[in-house]
Amino acid sequence: MKIGVLALQGDYLNHVAILNKLSVNPVLIRTPDDLDVDGMIIPGGESTTISLLLQSSGLYLPLRGLLNSGMAAFGTCAGMILLAKSVIDGRPDQVSFDAIDIVVRRNGFGRQVASFETELAVSGVGPMKAVFIRAPVVEKVSGEVEVLSSVNYSFPDSADRQVPVICRSGKVLVSSFHPELVGEDRLHRLFLERI
Amino acid sequence: MEKTEKSAHATGGVLVKRGLAEMLRGGVIMDVVNAEQAKIAEDAGAVAVMALERVPADIRRDGGVARMSDPYLIEEIQRAVTIPVMAKARIGHFAEAQILEELQVDYIDESEVLTPADEAHHIDKWKFSVPFVCGATNLGEALRRISEGAALIRSKGEAGTGNVVEAVRHLRSITGDIRKITQADSAEIYAWAKNLQAPVELVREVAKEGRLPVPLFCAGGLATPADASLVMQLGAEAVFVGSGIFKSADPARRARAIVEATTHFKDPGVLVKVSRNIGPAMVGIEMDAIEVKLAERGW
């Protein structure tokens, strides 16, 4: 089983460290030649920057092909945005892979001063510490997407809402927070189990 | 589906402050003075922009007291882009930092590029929920800034010169001392702390982990894609580019080239491609020819 970690920008080395802890030695993916993998992690980072580098590196189309034909993937934060079906408040030229049927709002919780940490309850996993950094908000979940965890959040302009923060559909898993920042490996295990 | 109560959400902690720096790794943060430049930076793939009154090359040329940007300009930049917006405050000027926090900038750079406001004290950065980045020329300075609450360290380099030599010196000094400390025995840690003038707990943490407790980025004098590759190979985790972009002949192309070079820093093939025919770099200054060494500001 070969796992790739998209290494264009962001905290990809934190994902590598978690995988190493699970005795998986991933490939860093920067060009189409690196794409000989069975599953792929898209890290946290700046989604607009990663989007641009996906196109200039020639990775976007082949990777989209692999994902649309069912390759396993795990995305955190920017990775969730890139795997989503559609993105609100992104740049107009921003690409996404349409690998999971969710609509996300970029920076939906607000600027950095609104970044937060919290304790989640995750279906089938248990309590989990979660760090949200200028995180996306899942606005809509459709089709066969399961929501494994959500947070109750008060937005400045509306009442409290339940916001999904971990979603899964088949082999594609996404979280709007960063398990890789706190050494949390249980979501990586979930991702690896379905490959 | 399980639910979480909102009462548990905590903002402004160490994890979220250092976390944003982690997300910027492998990226380029570009100095901008207005919304138009910010837009060019975002279009080129910047991971963040740094708002300041004048780019360092102009501060050097025109002299006078360099201060925090006008809030209006910062707000205009915040409206123009969707990426994080950082802004500079003077060393020790906690009132400027309070204004920047009120503006909800994403990071505050307590910067030697601006004229210092306090000759003995840096800002007590623990009091803020906005994270801070600070410059350092060596490991002791880096650890002192971290002990004051900095969530990100950058080399100081020599801003506004287009000359990377000082940034390289600072990076090598920091990473070299980290490598030595990992070999120190428990008694030697105390001598290191004394010589570095840094808290022994932080020195011990560096010895154990083999890295700073926060990310280490590079700043000061970067002007070319090759400069970005050089400092990334020397251990920087991301780069700040100031005058190097908007004082060059073709800022948009140069910005884009430096973004590509920072990602593909180990791939000479890509570096050739992105360095080719991007117009003249900023002219630059030799260290012997400068009157004010900005890196000497900060204590």
Side-chain angles (χ1 to χ4, degrees):
Chain A
M1 180 171 73
K2 267 176 86 177
I3 303 299
V5 178
L6 189 66
L8 295 174
Q9 190 273 318
D11 72 337
Y12 53 86
L13 291 176
N14 298 66
H15 282 282
V16 171
I18 303 262
L19 290 171
N20 287 340
K21 219 169 81 177
L22 298 172
S23 306
V24 175
N25 200 1
V27 187
L28 292 182
I29 296 185
R30 292 199 175 98
T31 70
D33 293 340
D34 305 324
L35 274 180
D36 177 24
V37 293
D38 307 300
M40 169 96 184
I41 291 181
I42 305 184
E46 200 47 53
S47 63
T48 52
T49 302
I50 299 175
S51 164
L52 195 133
L53 290 163
L54 276 167
Q55 296 174 83
S56 63
S57 62
L59 274 169
Y60 176 63
L61 286 176
L63 191 49
R64 191 184 169 102
L66 287 170
L67 288 164
N68 291 353
S69 57
M71 186 174 74
F74 177 28
T76 60
C77 197
M80 171 191 256
I81 296 172
L82 286 157
L83 288 168
K85 185 183 178 72
S86 66
V87 181
I88 306 169
D89 290 349
R91 282 172 56 92
D93 58 356
Q94 184 166 353
V95 297
S96 60
F97 289 116
D98 189 10
I100 182 165
D101 199 350
I102 58 174
V103 178
V104 299
R105 183 181 298 277
R106 201 164 146 248
N107 303 334
F109 293 103
R111 295 184 184 279
Q112 171 64 10
V113 286
S115 291
F116 63 99
E117 47 194 294
T118 193
E119 187 85 19
L120 300 176
V122 183
S123 294
V125 176
M128 184 177 290
K129 185 174 183 168
V131 184
F132 293 80
I133 311 284
R134 287 173 48 100
V137 165
V138 176
E139 295 282 355
K140 191 167 164 239
V141 172
S142 323
E144 288 163 15
V145 176
E146 314 165 64
V147 176
L148 302 187
S149 184
S150 65
V151 291
N152 187 291
Y153 195 87
S154 342
F155 291 89
D157 52 355
S158 69
D160 291 7
R161 268 200 291 145
Q162 286 292 324
V163 179
V165 293
I166 307 175
C167 299
R168 180 164 65 176
S169 174
K171 293 181 176 182
V172 178
L173 178 68
V174 291
S175 70
S176 46
F177 61 96
H178 298 281
E180 75 279 9
L181 277 187
V182 292
E184 168 62 61
D185 63 12
R186 288 171 294 172
L187 295 183
H188 292 76
R189 286 172 191 270
L190 284 185
F191 155 67
L192 293 171
E193 274 166 16
R194 291 216 167 166
I195 293 176
Chain B
M1 187 179 83
E2 310 264 2
K3 291 178 181 177
T4 305
E5 285 313 310
K6 66 171 185 251
S7 55
H9 306 341
T11 55
V14 168
L15 270 176
V16 297
K17 288 177 170 176
R18 295 181 184 176
L20 179 55
E22 296 279 344
M23 296 313 132
L24 302 173
R25 284 166 67 173
V28 183
I29 299 137
M30 301 182 192
D31 276 2
V32 298
V33 300
N34 56 38
E36 185 197 352
Q37 290 187 353
K39 205 69 201 123
I40 292 171
E42 188 185 54
D43 288 346
V47 289
V49 291
M50 172 74 72
L52 73 175
E53 190 190 41
R54 291 173 278 166
V55 294
D58 289 339
I59 293 172
R60 210 173 264 293
R61 191 193 62 207
D62 301 339
V65 175
R67 313 176 176 90
M68 176 189 80
S69 279
D70 186 319
Y72 170 75
L73 281 169
I74 295 171
E75 288 165 331
E76 204 180 62
I77 291 166
Q78 286 174 319
R79 279 193 295 272
V81 297
T82 65
I83 54 178
V85 175
M86 304 184 175
K88 285 186 194 286
R90 284 179 265 179
I91 289 173
H93 206 315
F94 53 83
E96 283 189 348
Q98 287 161 353
I99 292 168
L100 294 175
E101 179 164 69
E102 185 65 24
L103 288 167
Q104 301 200 357
V105 302
D106 295 292
Y107 243 93
I108 296 173
D109 186 359
E110 187 183 16
S111 178
E112 72 284 358
V113 168
L114 306 187
T115 310
D118 189 320
E119 291 184 326
H121 310 94
H122 283 251
I123 297 170
D124 177 2
K125 293 166 274 287
W126 296 114
K127 286 188 172 166
F128 291 79
S129 48
V130 171
F132 279 74
V133 50
C134 288
T137 59
N138 58 49
L139 183 58
E141 209 177 345
L143 295 179
R144 287 196 293 282
R145 297 296 85 79
I146 293 167
S147 74
E148 295 156 1
L152 169 61
I153 294 295
R154 56 171 174 77
S155 66
K156 285 182 175 169
E158 196 51 39
T161 62
N163 189 337
V164 78
V165 65
E166 293 297 305
V168 167
R169 185 209 310 282
H170 303 159
L171 261 185
R172 279 202 183 273
S173 170
I174 293 168
T175 58
D177 275 354
I178 290 175
R179 277 192 291 273
K180 286 180 208 151
I181 287 178
T182 58
Q183 305 299 314
D185 71 20
S186 56
E188 288 168 336
I189 295 290
Y190 295 98
W192 269 105
K194 186 184 118 199
N195 293 334
L196 292 172
Q197 300 177 52
V200 71
E201 298 75 25
L202 285 177
V203 176
R204 203 175 278 125
E205 189 178 343
V206 167
K208 183 165 163 267
E209 303 294 334
R211 52 165 294 170
L212 291 180
V214 305
L216 173 63
F217 291 3
C218 183
L222 277 70
T224 69
D227 288 347
S229 166
L230 173 70
V231 300
M232 290 295 287
Q233 293 189 61
L234 286 173
E237 295 174 289
V239 301
F240 286 86
V241 185
S243 320
I245 289 173
F246 289 100
K247 288 290 163 188
S248 73
D250 187 345
R253 285 187 69 188
R254 183 160 294 266
R256 185 61 203 267
I258 293 175
V259 167
E260 295 284 344
T262 304
T263 289
H264 301 283
F265 67 95
K266 280 194 276 199
D267 187 336
V270 174
L271 294 168
V272 169
K273 202 172 97 188
V274 304
S275 302
R276 193 182 282 133
N277 200 19
I278 53 173
M282 69 180 284
V283 174
I285 315 174
E286 285 258 29
M287 285 311 128
D288 294 345
I290 62 177
E291 286 167 16
V292 181
K293 245 185 151 182
L294 302 175
E296 287 166 3
R297 296 168 166 176
W299 359 99

